[in-house]
Amino acid sequence: MSNVFASDHPLLAHKLTRLRDKNTDPKKFRELVREMAALLAYEATADLATMSREVETPLAIFHGTELREKIGLVPILRAGLGMVEGIWGLMPSAEVWHIGLYRDEKTLKPVEYYNKLPIEPTVSVCLILDPMLATGGSATATTDILKRWGVKKIKFVGLIGAPEGIAAMQKAHPDVPIYLAAVDERLNEHGYILPGLGDAGDRQFGTG
Ligand code: PRP
Ligand code: URA
């Protein structure tokens, strides 16, 4: 699992436990998703390219740096939406491009329903945002879309991954690193992650 980064940060572990708790209400759930997304994005962006930038402090010239790459945040609707705000706060000039996919309940295959990407890519790095990497269908389909769009550098940022979904992503897109707060045991017969946290979209939007 060389390109899978499952954080063992105590803050993430603490927040993830509260997120998994079935008694956590949607308001708290959204807050935790937002905070965890920011912590994970911090790790996922550690290798972003920079260029030099000179500024004047009140006392002297400082030879500093600024980000060189144009970043795109790509939340997979719906559940990925909750991860945007926390990350966007860290990189406010990022562009946000939504991709709408839902899993067909029977086949578990992703069905695309929203994609307004322009013809030419406008960003050089994309962070795909989705709390759950279950079968991996949604993540691989989104990566396909972004590669077809022409994005060269793609990373997946999620909260919980199942071994099945990680394997599917690694097979389809071995070049895409995966950042997670936890790797869980397995999928159940309905394609839900065990122990997981249930349905991430329903729990955020109160639709369960
Ligand atoms: C959930 C989740 C992922 C997908 C993961 O979305 O947010 O997008 O399932 O499963 P996969 O790895 O097997 O593709 P869902 O289809 O429930 O839609 P929602 O976010 O609108 O609730
Ligand atoms: N989607 C979810 O929201 N939860 C899972 O466990 C699997 C897919």
Side-chain angles (χ1 to χ4, degrees):
M1 287 209 196
S2 58
N3 66 346
V4 180
F5 303 94
S7 177
D8 56 4
H9 197 294
L11 275 178
L12 278 166
H14 174 92
K15 289 176 190 297
L16 182 58
T17 301
R18 296 197 66 185
L19 196 71
R20 291 183 192 273
D21 186 341
K22 66 178 185 186
N23 296 314
T24 297
D25 67 19
K27 182 171 187 287
K28 185 67 189 174
F29 194 93
R30 290 192 295 272
E31 183 184 307
L32 290 163
V33 169
R34 188 175 66 236
E35 292 168 352
M36 291 179 71
L39 291 168
L40 283 160
Y42 180 76
E43 301 200 12
T45 52
D47 65 347
L48 284 185
T50 57
M51 57 189 182
S52 53
R53 175 164 181 206
E54 200 176 273
V55 292
E56 274 181 57
T57 77
L59 300 174
I61 300 288
F62 178 73
H63 302 283
T65 55
E66 67 180 11
L67 290 174
R68 191 170 67 202
E69 297 173 292
K70 185 81 189 158
I71 304 165
L73 305 181
V74 184
I76 304 179
L77 306 178
R78 293 174 300 167
L81 272 181
M83 297 177 69
V84 172
E85 196 187 318
I87 302 177
W88 217 1
L90 300 176
M91 45 192 98
S93 59
E95 296 181 5
V96 179
W97 292 100
H98 303 86
I99 296 295
L101 300 177
Y102 70 85
R103 281 202 318 181
D104 180 279
E105 276 179 22
K106 289 207 175 65
T107 65
L108 298 183
K109 300 282 179 227
V111 181
E112 186 176 328
Y113 63 89
Y114 185 84
N115 176 352
K116 291 282 186 191
L117 294 174
I119 292 172
E120 294 296 328
T122 56
V123 293
S124 49
V125 187
C126 277
L127 302 185
I128 299 176
L129 311 179
D130 193 329
M132 310 304 276
L133 181 60
T135 66
S138 305
T140 53
T142 303
T143 309
D144 288 338
I145 291 168
L146 295 177
K147 284 187 174 175
R148 278 200 300 273
W149 193 33
V151 180
K152 298 278 179 284
K153 199 164 161 187
I154 301 172
K155 293 158 181 261
F156 178 88
V157 183
L159 301 184
I160 303 179
E164 294 89 334
I166 292 170
M169 265 301 271
Q170 288 183 318
K171 185 158 183 254
H173 299 294
D175 55 315
V176 174
I178 298 170
Y179 294 84
L180 298 165
V183 177
D184 272 10
E185 283 165 34
R186 64 180 172 90
L187 299 179
N188 72 9
E189 62 277 23
H190 305 293
Y192 277 84
I193 300 176
L194 290 177
L197 50 73
D199 189 304
D202 283 343
R203 293 199 61 189
Q204 284 181 78
F205 296 106
T207 51

